[in-house]
Amino acid sequence: MSLFLGIDIGTSGIRSAVIDRTESLIASAEAPLPAPDDASGFPTQDPAIWWAALSECLESLASELASVASGLPEIDAMAVDGTSGTILLADADLNPVTRALMYNAGGFRREAEAIERFAEADSLARGPGSTLARLLRLQRAGEAEDARHALHQADWIAANLAGVAGKSDENNALKLGYDLIGNCWPAWFEAAGVRMDILPEIKPVGDLLGTVSERSANRFGFSVNALVASGTTDGNAAFLGSGASNAGEGVTSLGTTLTIKLLSECPVVDPGRGIYSHRLFGMWLAGGASNSGGGALLKFFSPEQMSELEARLDPDRSTGADFYPLPSVGERFPVADPEFRPLHSPRPEDDAEFFQGLLEGIAKIELSGYRALEQLGANAVTSIRTSGGGAANRSWTRIRRRIIGCDITSSPASAAEGSARIAKRCWTNHFKRN
């Protein structure tokens, strides 16, 4: 039995999944993570917390796997995904010399100004909340002189599993400013103050990083022949976990915010609206994130109220409302306007009609998002898989089918399973070449 392990490091926990050659789920486990510490004014975390949670997760996984296989020694390959933009500095032995700055740490204006003096106008490295701005802030830390590696969250875990540092993947590196077209770090980095000696070598997603180190094999019970593949971001892993694999297939996440990703034959970019494209297995994964979503609905209804109102919806009939649901002022995609105001009026007297009007409004934003990608040159969306809490609302799915006009299905979109599929691809390609 060939088995493949995916490890997903999210905000609230670490999740793992094991699949077989048919990509059927064999076993899974998870372990919680504490909330990041924001005592410094921005969210940080001690990477040791990730390793402790990973250990707990893999111990649970080994127990689950023992009932269907011989346990973790049967894992042939593994891959790791992590939160996009979370970064730390480590020494030559992978010991962290700084805490990790989390993906949502921002406000680094001094660093952003240094970047903007040299970066191209369309660079994703621009802005006080960019990954590169976080790296420049970390370089100013007192312990940074001992740093030998700049590592994303997934990089650090994978490096510890393989005992090999100094490598990252194209997806995690994109927001750090890596040039996917030139396959290099931009020439202006050094002028902006970036330490070039700590930047990783960038590998395609699913490329071979190495094999499991003897230390990790002894700690967890892996075979030393198990492959460790270059991983991806958590969002891209969730896309792969959905099973989408053809141009025109999209994945919409209906969580607190509305996020869309579309597989395209060509890249599309619009930094002003947060639109960018990841390279993924010879294609491009384009997308953007709106401020609309479940957070906007919670301004008016509790989860219990929404569940009760669902039975009163008439999804095949339009309410005629023209709402633009937002939790507060400001939108980023498909409209880029920090002063964009939400539209929730006139409010119908009937709560069910108001709730349906809000759902219709979010569906129209979703449609506008996919159309924005198409207008920039991406493939037209042909089908959509849905993840997040909103995927469970069947009436909302019918509303979205009516408004968007394509097949829409629910998908658990497990990021851990997506990373396991990356591991399987690495293993398959490795043995094709050898």
Side-chain angles (χ1 to χ4, degrees):
M1 181 183 290
S2 293
L3 299 178
F4 310 100
L5 168 63
I7 298 168
D8 166 48
I9 313 169
T11 303
S12 60
I14 291 184
R15 300 162 188 86
S16 61
V18 174
I19 62 172
D20 62 14
R21 288 197 200 190
T22 68
E23 300 190 351
S24 298
L25 181 64
I26 301 300
S28 63
E30 60 184 87
L33 283 171
D37 181 4
D38 59 0
S40 60
F42 35 79
T44 67
Q45 209 159 42
D46 181 354
I49 292 174
W50 308 337
W51 194 254
L54 176 65
S55 299
E56 180 182 345
C57 182
L58 291 179
E59 287 171 6
S60 298
L61 183 67
S63 297
E64 290 290 321
L65 201 54
S67 63
V68 292
S70 299
L72 296 181
E74 286 203 45
I75 300 295
D76 286 306
M78 64 193 72
V80 184
D81 72 80
T83 52
S84 175
T86 298
I87 194 165
L88 68 139
L89 299 183
D91 65 18
D93 296 320
L94 293 174
N95 299 307
V97 298
T98 67
R99 291 175 67 86
L101 278 175
M102 301 303 290
Y103 63 93
N104 54 345
F108 306 125
R109 300 195 179 281
R110 172 179 168 182
E111 291 78 9
E113 289 171 0
I115 294 167
E116 288 165 7
R117 284 198 294 271
F118 303 100
E120 295 90 347
D122 62 351
S123 174
L124 291 173
R126 297 170 70 95
S130 74
T131 310
L132 188 60
R134 290 184 208 111
L135 176 58
L136 290 180
R137 175 58 63 93
L138 288 175
Q139 287 183 189
R140 292 171 51 198
E143 305 83 1
E145 62 182 24
D146 295 325
R148 294 297 177 267
H149 301 289
L151 298 158
H152 298 93
Q153 190 176 41
D155 302 339
W156 187 76
I157 293 293
N160 273 282
L161 289 170
V164 176
K167 298 180 182 180
S168 186
D169 63 88
E170 291 180 335
N171 292 175
N172 274 293
L174 181 64
K175 289 186 180 179
L176 188 55
Y178 187 72
D179 180 356
L180 287 179
I181 305 303
N183 292 317
C184 63
W185 293 109
W188 57 263
F189 263 36
E190 191 166 9
V194 179
R195 276 186 56 184
M196 305 301 288
D197 63 304
I198 62 175
L199 293 177
E201 173 191 354
I202 304 305
K203 315 268 286 179
V205 173
D207 213 8
L208 179 64
L209 295 179
T211 56
V212 168
S213 69
E214 185 175 349
R215 177 183 175 187
S216 292
N218 291 336
R219 173 66 183 83
F220 300 114
F222 293 123
S223 164
V224 291
N225 296 316
L227 309 182
V228 181
S230 55
T232 184
T233 64
D234 53 348
N236 289 356
F239 182 93
L240 292 171
S242 75
S245 59
N246 299 310
E249 293 182 333
V251 171
T252 295
S253 176
L254 294 175
T256 303
T257 58
L258 167 70
T259 302
I260 69 173
K261 290 183 179 290
L262 175 71
L263 203 57
S264 173
E265 294 169 313
C266 64
V268 295
V269 177
D270 185 348
R273 289 186 289 174
I275 298 174
Y276 53 91
S277 298
H278 285 285
R279 186 154 54 196
L280 192 63
F281 303 153
M283 299 186 73
W284 298 87
L285 192 56
S290 167
N291 289 335
S292 187
L297 299 176
L298 289 170
K299 284 180 62 69
F300 302 100
F301 301 107
S302 68
E304 294 74 21
Q305 288 173 316
M306 287 188 269
S307 181
E308 292 172 1
L309 288 171
E310 184 180 353
R312 294 175 51 199
L313 302 181
D314 187 359
D316 299 320
R317 177 191 64 84
S318 172
T319 63
D322 189 24
F323 297 147
Y324 199 109
L326 291 170
S328 59
V329 174
E331 177 61 304
R332 51 185 170 152
F333 170 80
V335 177
D337 183 356
E339 302 302 321
F340 194 91
R341 304 192 69 81
L343 180 59
H344 305 132
S345 61
R347 175 170 178 164
E349 292 184 6
D350 180 22
D351 280 348
E353 185 174 357
F354 180 48
F355 181 44
Q356 180 167 327
L358 295 174
L359 297 179
E360 290 173 347
I362 297 174
K364 291 174 184 176
I365 296 170
E366 181 183 1
L367 173 61
S368 296
Y370 281 111
R371 282 181 173 170
L373 299 180
E374 182 182 358
Q375 288 164 1
L376 289 170
N379 291 70
V381 63
T382 57
S383 65
I384 298 172
R385 293 167 168 83
T386 312
S387 63
N393 188 325
R394 295 182 180 180
S395 293
W396 197 1
T397 299
R398 288 170 59 183
I399 289 170
R400 292 166 58 226
R401 285 195 190 113
R402 169 169 57 82
I403 290 174
I404 298 173
C406 71
D407 181 47
I408 297 177
T409 57
S410 176
S411 168
S414 163
E417 288 181 65
S419 283
R421 291 180 180 185
I422 292 173
K424 179 198 167 193
R425 184 184 182 92
C426 176
W427 182 84
T428 302
N429 289 340
H430 178 72
F431 283 98
K432 280 182 179 178
R433 290 191 295 266
N434 296 280

PDB file of all heavy atoms in Angstrom, residues 147-162:
ATOM      1  N   ALA A 147      20.655  34.965  11.880  1.00  0.00           N
ATOM      2  CA  ALA A 147      19.775  34.303  10.924  1.00  0.00           C
ATOM      3  C   ALA A 147      20.552  33.811   9.706  1.00  0.00           C
ATOM      4  O   ALA A 147      21.442  34.502   9.194  1.00  0.00           O
ATOM      5  CB  ALA A 147      18.675  35.249  10.481  1.00  0.00           C
ATOM      6  N   ARG A 148      20.195  32.624   9.253  1.00  0.00           N
ATOM      7  CA  ARG A 148      20.762  32.075   8.021  1.00  0.00           C
ATOM      8  C   ARG A 148      19.668  31.706   7.027  1.00  0.00           C
ATOM      9  O   ARG A 148      19.955  31.454   5.859  1.00  0.00           O
ATOM     10  CB  ARG A 148      21.601  30.827   8.341  1.00  0.00           C
ATOM     11  CG  ARG A 148      22.840  31.123   9.164  1.00  0.00           C
ATOM     12  CD  ARG A 148      23.809  32.037   8.412  1.00  0.00           C
ATOM     13  NE  ARG A 148      24.977  32.396   9.226  1.00  0.00           N
ATOM     14  CZ  ARG A 148      25.046  33.486   9.972  1.00  0.00           C
ATOM     15  NH1 ARG A 148      24.013  34.324  10.032  1.00  0.00           N
ATOM     16  NH2 ARG A 148      26.122  33.759  10.674  1.00  0.00           N
ATOM     17  N   HIS A 149      18.423  31.677   7.507  1.00  0.00           N
ATOM     18  CA  HIS A 149      17.323  31.292   6.625  1.00  0.00           C
ATOM     19  C   HIS A 149      16.074  32.121   6.924  1.00  0.00           C
ATOM     20  O   HIS A 149      15.700  32.283   8.092  1.00  0.00           O
ATOM     21  CB  HIS A 149      16.967  29.809   6.802  1.00  0.00           C
ATOM     22  CG  HIS A 149      18.092  28.874   6.533  1.00  0.00           C
ATOM     23  ND1 HIS A 149      18.588  28.645   5.271  1.00  0.00           N
ATOM     24  CD2 HIS A 149      18.826  28.107   7.377  1.00  0.00           C
ATOM     25  CE1 HIS A 149      19.577  27.787   5.343  1.00  0.00           C
ATOM     26  NE2 HIS A 149      19.748  27.431   6.609  1.00  0.00           N
ATOM     27  N   ALA A 150      15.455  32.641   5.877  1.00  0.00           N
ATOM     28  CA  ALA A 150      14.105  33.209   5.973  1.00  0.00           C
ATOM     29  C   ALA A 150      13.146  32.108   5.545  1.00  0.00           C
ATOM     30  O   ALA A 150      13.272  31.549   4.445  1.00  0.00           O
ATOM     31  CB  ALA A 150      13.961  34.422   5.062  1.00  0.00           C
ATOM     32  N   LEU A 151      12.191  31.778   6.410  1.00  0.00           N
ATOM     33  CA  LEU A 151      11.336  30.618   6.182  1.00  0.00           C
ATOM     34  C   LEU A 151       9.863  30.963   6.362  1.00  0.00           C
ATOM     35  O   LEU A 151       9.481  31.592   7.356  1.00  0.00           O
ATOM     36  CB  LEU A 151      11.699  29.501   7.166  1.00  0.00           C
ATOM     37  CG  LEU A 151      13.122  28.944   7.080  1.00  0.00           C
ATOM     38  CD1 LEU A 151      13.505  28.280   8.388  1.00  0.00           C
ATOM     39  CD2 LEU A 151      13.213  27.956   5.939  1.00  0.00           C
ATOM     40  N   HIS A 152       9.044  30.552   5.399  1.00  0.00           N
ATOM     41  CA  HIS A 152       7.612  30.602   5.600  1.00  0.00           C
ATOM     42  C   HIS A 152       7.224  29.482   6.564  1.00  0.00           C
ATOM     43  O   HIS A 152       8.013  28.572   6.839  1.00  0.00           O
ATOM     44  CB  HIS A 152       6.868  30.422   4.272  1.00  0.00           C
ATOM     45  CG  HIS A 152       7.167  31.506   3.275  1.00  0.00           C
ATOM     46  ND1 HIS A 152       8.156  31.377   2.331  1.00  0.00           N
ATOM     47  CD2 HIS A 152       6.611  32.724   3.090  1.00  0.00           C
ATOM     48  CE1 HIS A 152       8.200  32.478   1.598  1.00  0.00           C
ATOM     49  NE2 HIS A 152       7.281  33.313   2.040  1.00  0.00           N
ATOM     50  N   GLN A 153       5.992  29.534   7.028  1.00  0.00           N
ATOM     51  CA  GLN A 153       5.538  28.535   7.996  1.00  0.00           C
ATOM     52  C   GLN A 153       5.693  27.113   7.449  1.00  0.00           C
ATOM     53  O   GLN A 153       6.243  26.235   8.118  1.00  0.00           O
ATOM     54  CB  GLN A 153       4.071  28.816   8.342  1.00  0.00           C
ATOM     55  CG  GLN A 153       3.520  28.016   9.493  1.00  0.00           C
ATOM     56  CD  GLN A 153       2.104  28.437   9.825  1.00  0.00           C
ATOM     57  OE1 GLN A 153       1.285  28.687   8.939  1.00  0.00           O
ATOM     58  NE2 GLN A 153       1.793  28.537  11.113  1.00  0.00           N
ATOM     59  N   ALA A 154       5.217  26.876   6.233  1.00  0.00           N
ATOM     60  CA  ALA A 154       5.325  25.543   5.634  1.00  0.00           C
ATOM     61  C   ALA A 154       6.781  25.156   5.402  1.00  0.00           C
ATOM     62  O   ALA A 154       7.160  23.984   5.550  1.00  0.00           O
ATOM     63  CB  ALA A 154       4.546  25.490   4.317  1.00  0.00           C
ATOM     64  N   ASP A 155       7.618  26.140   5.044  1.00  0.00           N
ATOM     65  CA  ASP A 155       9.047  25.870   4.810  1.00  0.00           C
ATOM     66  C   ASP A 155       9.708  25.316   6.066  1.00  0.00           C
ATOM     67  O   ASP A 155      10.503  24.375   6.003  1.00  0.00           O
ATOM     68  CB  ASP A 155       9.794  27.159   4.418  1.00  0.00           C
ATOM     69  CG  ASP A 155       9.238  27.836   3.190  1.00  0.00           C
ATOM     70  OD1 ASP A 155       8.551  27.171   2.399  1.00  0.00           O
ATOM     71  OD2 ASP A 155       9.501  29.043   3.031  1.00  0.00           O
ATOM     72  N   TRP A 156       9.397  25.953   7.207  1.00  0.00           N
ATOM     73  CA  TRP A 156      10.081  25.582   8.451  1.00  0.00           C
ATOM     74  C   TRP A 156       9.706  24.166   8.881  1.00  0.00           C
ATOM     75  O   TRP A 156      10.565  23.378   9.286  1.00  0.00           O
ATOM     76  CB  TRP A 156       9.745  26.581   9.554  1.00  0.00           C
ATOM     77  CG  TRP A 156      10.536  26.380  10.808  1.00  0.00           C
ATOM     78  CD1 TRP A 156      11.841  26.717  11.017  1.00  0.00           C
ATOM     79  CD2 TRP A 156      10.075  25.777  12.031  1.00  0.00           C
ATOM     80  NE1 TRP A 156      12.220  26.360  12.296  1.00  0.00           N
ATOM     81  CE2 TRP A 156      11.161  25.799  12.942  1.00  0.00           C
ATOM     82  CE3 TRP A 156       8.861  25.252  12.442  1.00  0.00           C
ATOM     83  CZ2 TRP A 156      11.055  25.286  14.229  1.00  0.00           C
ATOM     84  CZ3 TRP A 156       8.752  24.739  13.732  1.00  0.00           C
ATOM     85  CH2 TRP A 156       9.835  24.766  14.612  1.00  0.00           C
ATOM     86  N   ILE A 157       8.418  23.829   8.774  1.00  0.00           N
ATOM     87  CA  ILE A 157       7.989  22.484   9.138  1.00  0.00           C
ATOM     88  C   ILE A 157       8.605  21.459   8.196  1.00  0.00           C
ATOM     89  O   ILE A 157       9.152  20.432   8.629  1.00  0.00           O
ATOM     90  CB  ILE A 157       6.449  22.379   9.104  1.00  0.00           C
ATOM     91  CG1 ILE A 157       5.824  23.245  10.211  1.00  0.00           C
ATOM     92  CG2 ILE A 157       6.007  20.925   9.255  1.00  0.00           C
ATOM     93  CD1 ILE A 157       6.098  22.778  11.615  1.00  0.00           C
ATOM     94  N   ALA A 158       8.544  21.710   6.880  1.00  0.00           N
ATOM     95  CA  ALA A 158       9.099  20.771   5.908  1.00  0.00           C
ATOM     96  C   ALA A 158      10.610  20.615   6.096  1.00  0.00           C
ATOM     97  O   ALA A 158      11.157  19.509   5.987  1.00  0.00           O
ATOM     98  CB  ALA A 158       8.783  21.231   4.491  1.00  0.00           C
ATOM     99  N   ALA A 159      11.288  21.733   6.374  1.00  0.00           N
ATOM    100  CA  ALA A 159      12.734  21.678   6.579  1.00  0.00           C
ATOM    101  C   ALA A 159      13.083  20.828   7.791  1.00  0.00           C
ATOM    102  O   ALA A 159      14.065  20.068   7.767  1.00  0.00           O
ATOM    103  CB  ALA A 159      13.296  23.086   6.743  1.00  0.00           C
ATOM    104  N   ASN A 160      12.307  20.940   8.849  1.00  0.00           N
ATOM    105  CA  ASN A 160      12.561  20.127  10.033  1.00  0.00           C
ATOM    106  C   ASN A 160      12.272  18.650   9.775  1.00  0.00           C
ATOM    107  O   ASN A 160      12.954  17.770  10.324  1.00  0.00           O
ATOM    108  CB  ASN A 160      11.720  20.629  11.203  1.00  0.00           C
ATOM    109  CG  ASN A 160      12.404  21.744  11.971  1.00  0.00           C
ATOM    110  OD1 ASN A 160      13.295  21.507  12.774  1.00  0.00           O
ATOM    111  ND2 ASN A 160      12.007  22.983  11.690  1.00  0.00           N
ATOM    112  N   LEU A 161      11.280  18.352   8.947  1.00  0.00           N
ATOM    113  CA  LEU A 161      10.983  16.955   8.624  1.00  0.00           C
ATOM    114  C   LEU A 161      12.096  16.336   7.780  1.00  0.00           C
ATOM    115  O   LEU A 161      12.458  15.181   7.967  1.00  0.00           O
ATOM    116  CB  LEU A 161       9.648  16.856   7.882  1.00  0.00           C
ATOM    117  CG  LEU A 161       8.395  17.115   8.719  1.00  0.00           C
ATOM    118  CD1 LEU A 161       7.167  17.227   7.822  1.00  0.00           C
ATOM    119  CD2 LEU A 161       8.193  16.004   9.752  1.00  0.00           C
ATOM    120  N   ALA A 162      12.632  17.143   6.839  1.00  0.00           N
ATOM    121  CA  ALA A 162      13.650  16.623   5.927  1.00  0.00           C
ATOM    122  C   ALA A 162      15.073  16.902   6.396  1.00  0.00           C
ATOM    123  O   ALA A 162      16.021  16.321   5.867  1.00  0.00           O
ATOM    124  CB  ALA A 162      13.444  17.220   4.543  1.00  0.00           C
TER     125      ALA A 162
END
